[in-house]
Amino acid sequence: MATGITTKERLERLMAAKTQLEAQISKNGEILAANDNVGMTGPMIDAEGFPRNDIDIYQVRQARQTIICLQNDHKELMNQIQNLLNQYHSEIATTDPELVNRASALELDSERGLGGANIAPPDIRPIVVVNLVSPSSPAEEAGLRVGDNICRFGSVNSNNFKGDLGQIGEVTRNMQNQNVQLKVMRGDQLLDLLLVPKAWSGRGLLGCNIVLPPESMEY
């Protein structure tokens, strides 16, 4: 008897579709770059108000419109990936933790901006703050520092974080000895780090303390 599509297959298909969309966006971004790097907002008229003769106005307009449409499709696709991750997170993390990590990595790529199109990343908001990092811990090995604002912890981000530090703990336990993608805000910098929750000489699997005022929890 034929069986329905599995969660893994659905995620694989969505991620493949995302890759194809980004390739199309990049291709149209190259058109903008070839036209004096005009981007999505550069002027198409000269100082005297006439159409610029150093760019192909028709090409630029078409590329911009195509990018806008593809960008909307990309946003919807990312929502589908995120919703599927949220719905089946426990199941996937138990049977295929690497798939969760790959999907999280794809979302991180999306937040860096889409290649060639000069598209700004979406708003990034911290979900937890690091207020302690133990020496020689997995957290220190990953490069975390006291004061770091974590905006993404694996599949947990500002869109699905409910203010429950248990969500971070669940990812930590499910991803033990696996790479967890982090997006960290440090001052005015956004950093992508890899954290591997694992047993070490100290307490917990991370060796750091995270705070969500007025609560805190150590893992």
Side-chain angles (χ1 to χ4, degrees):
M1 180 183 298
T3 59
I5 184 172
T6 66
T7 299
K8 178 177 179 178
E9 289 170 335
R10 291 170 66 190
L11 273 173
E12 293 280 9
R13 290 182 184 183
L14 288 176
M15 289 188 285
K18 177 182 180 293
T19 299
Q20 293 176 358
L21 269 179
E22 290 177 352
Q24 294 178 56
I25 292 173
S26 180
K27 182 178 179 180
N28 282 275
E30 290 172 2
I31 293 175
L32 300 181
N35 280 275
D36 198 36
N37 202 26
V38 69
M40 295 294 289
T41 58
M44 292 192 290
I45 58 175
D46 59 25
E48 297 179 355
F50 294 102
R52 292 173 57 177
N53 58 16
D54 61 330
I55 62 175
D56 187 323
I57 301 294
Y58 177 78
Q59 265 196 349
V60 169
R61 284 177 175 165
Q62 287 293 107
R64 285 179 174 178
Q65 184 60 40
T66 301
I67 287 173
I68 290 171
C69 293
L70 292 172
Q71 198 177 1
N72 290 334
D73 292 342
H74 183 273
K75 181 178 180 181
E76 175 59 29
L77 195 60
M78 288 306 305
N79 287 336
Q80 292 179 38
I81 291 174
Q82 185 63 64
N83 289 337
L84 196 59
L85 276 174
N86 293 344
Q87 185 176 356
Y88 295 105
H89 175 77
S90 297
E91 170 196 340
I92 300 169
T94 300
T95 60
D96 197 345
E98 188 58 28
L99 186 57
V100 171
N101 199 52
R102 285 176 55 203
S104 298
L106 284 173
E107 291 180 89
L108 285 170
D109 290 339
S110 175
E111 289 169 357
R112 295 187 192 107
L114 303 175
N118 296 327
I119 299 171
D123 292 337
I124 302 296
R125 294 173 310 203
I127 55 174
V128 291
V129 180
V130 178
N131 71 349
L132 182 148
V133 177
S134 299
S136 303
S137 66
E140 184 182 65
E141 291 177 1
L144 281 173
R145 300 179 186 174
V146 171
D148 280 349
N149 293 280
I150 298 178
C151 305
R152 176 182 294 277
F153 192 100
S155 59
V156 180
N157 57 42
S158 59
N159 294 323
N160 59 22
F161 186 59
K162 301 175 182 178
D164 179 7
L165 291 173
Q167 290 179 261
I168 306 296
E170 180 183 5
V171 173
T172 299
R173 290 187 294 273
N174 287 334
M175 296 296 288
Q176 187 170 352
N177 298 318
Q178 299 283 337
N179 290 334
V180 175
Q181 300 274 350
L182 304 183
K183 181 169 283 292
V184 173
M185 184 181 296
R186 181 179 296 163
D188 59 356
Q189 289 184 308
L190 279 175
L191 308 174
D192 295 325
L193 303 179
L194 279 179
L195 173 64
V196 181
K198 59 186 177 182
W200 61 295
S201 59
R203 295 177 56 187
L205 298 174
L206 301 182
C208 71
N209 200 69
I210 59 173
V211 176
L212 177 68
E215 297 175 285
S216 67
M217 183 177 293
E218 185 170 329
Y219 298 102

